[in-house]
């Protein structure tokens, strides 16, 4: 019996015959933000892709709400409440902000689908003022920060229980990053959203995270409450670079 929303056990993954993740354990408690930190190439993106079903593990298990994800087709994950915002964002340049957001609800079926998606879009536009102002702009007309908000907004239109976020601060001005982080914290507090946040920006991530883990060469080298990791001087010097 477990209280975790998502739990990985003994998880290994790699590309072809090259192993990247080595027997990793991870548990995400509902309504918490967990930061995954580590240098370039540590395996952070590979971990997210494995947890979101984009990559199949080479060993171990991933359970979500006590269901083995290896048995679930990738396209069903969104209906189960898992949303993944990959690095690079994937906003469609030729579509407007509203059209991009609508994509986040395409999985819905049934008589209420269109209405639910419209109300989720209205909520997202309420949260992100810049998107509200530019709802009829096309993707290519947006700044990097706005595109990142749109990618996040589109994931939220699905009303996920678990959000897997890859480097939301990449290429963004500190003020925009701070805004996105504050929003994640507000969503955790108001809706109980569970977030796994991959970040190079250690300060921003530790400022909002409840828990954190540090990866090095595909292994967990430290984990614990974010505040404790932040205070651990030798860890900061060895792995976090501040
Ligand atoms: P970054 O911050 O640079 O994205 P990361 O911690 O997210 O780093 P990963 O992208 O997961 O790390 O990469 C982990 C290892 O897997 C690296 O050695 C990388 O070269 C390798 N790797 C990543 N993607 C592929 C791929 N598509 N094919 C082969 N090897 C890959």
């Amino acid at each position: 019996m477990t209280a975790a929303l998502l739990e990985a056990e003994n998880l290994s993954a790699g590309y072809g015959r090259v192993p990247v993740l080595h027997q990793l354990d991870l548990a995400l408690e509902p309504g918490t933000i967990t930061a995954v930190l580590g240098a370039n190439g540590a395996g952070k993106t590979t971990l997210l892709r494995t947890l979101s079903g984009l990559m199949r593990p080479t060993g171990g298990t991933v359970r979500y709400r006590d269901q083995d994800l290896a048995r679930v087709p990738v396209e069903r994950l969104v209906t189960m409440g898992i949303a993944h915002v990959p690095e690079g964002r994937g906003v469609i340049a030729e579509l407007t902000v509203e059209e991009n957001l609508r994509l986040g609800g395409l999985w819905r079926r049934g008589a209420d689908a269109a209405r639910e998606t419209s109300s989720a879009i209205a909520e997202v536009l309420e949260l992100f003022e810049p998107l509200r102002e530019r709802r009829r702009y096309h993707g290519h007309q947006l700044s990097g920060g706005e595109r990142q908000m749109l990618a996040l907004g589109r994931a939220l239109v699905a009303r996920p229980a678990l959000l897997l976020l890859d480097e939301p601060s990449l290429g963004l001005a500190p003020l925009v990053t701070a805004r996105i982080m504050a929003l994640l914290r507000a969503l955790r507090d108001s809706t109980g959203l569970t977030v796994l946040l991959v970040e190079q920006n250690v300060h921003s991530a530790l400022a909002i995270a409840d828990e954190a883990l540090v990866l090095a060469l595909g292994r967990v080298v430290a984990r614990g409450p974010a505040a404790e990791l932040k205070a651990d001087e030798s860890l900061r010097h060895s792995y976090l670079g501040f």
Side-chain angles (χ1 to χ4, degrees), residues 185-193:
R185 184 154 49 184
L187 283 165
R188 174 201 61 190
D189 295 343
S190 62
T191 69
L193 182 68

Side-chain angles (χ1 to χ4, degrees), residues 14-16 18-21 37-49 55 87 166-167 198-200 215 217-218:
Y15 299 92
V18 183
V20 173
L21 297 180
L37 309 171
N40 281 332
K44 304 182 297 297
T45 295
T46 305
L47 173 62
L48 269 202
R49 303 182 80 208
M55 279 175 70
E87 207 176 340
D166 203 349
E167 303 258 7
V198 162
E199 259 303 334
Q200 292 268 354
L215 284 187
L217 297 175

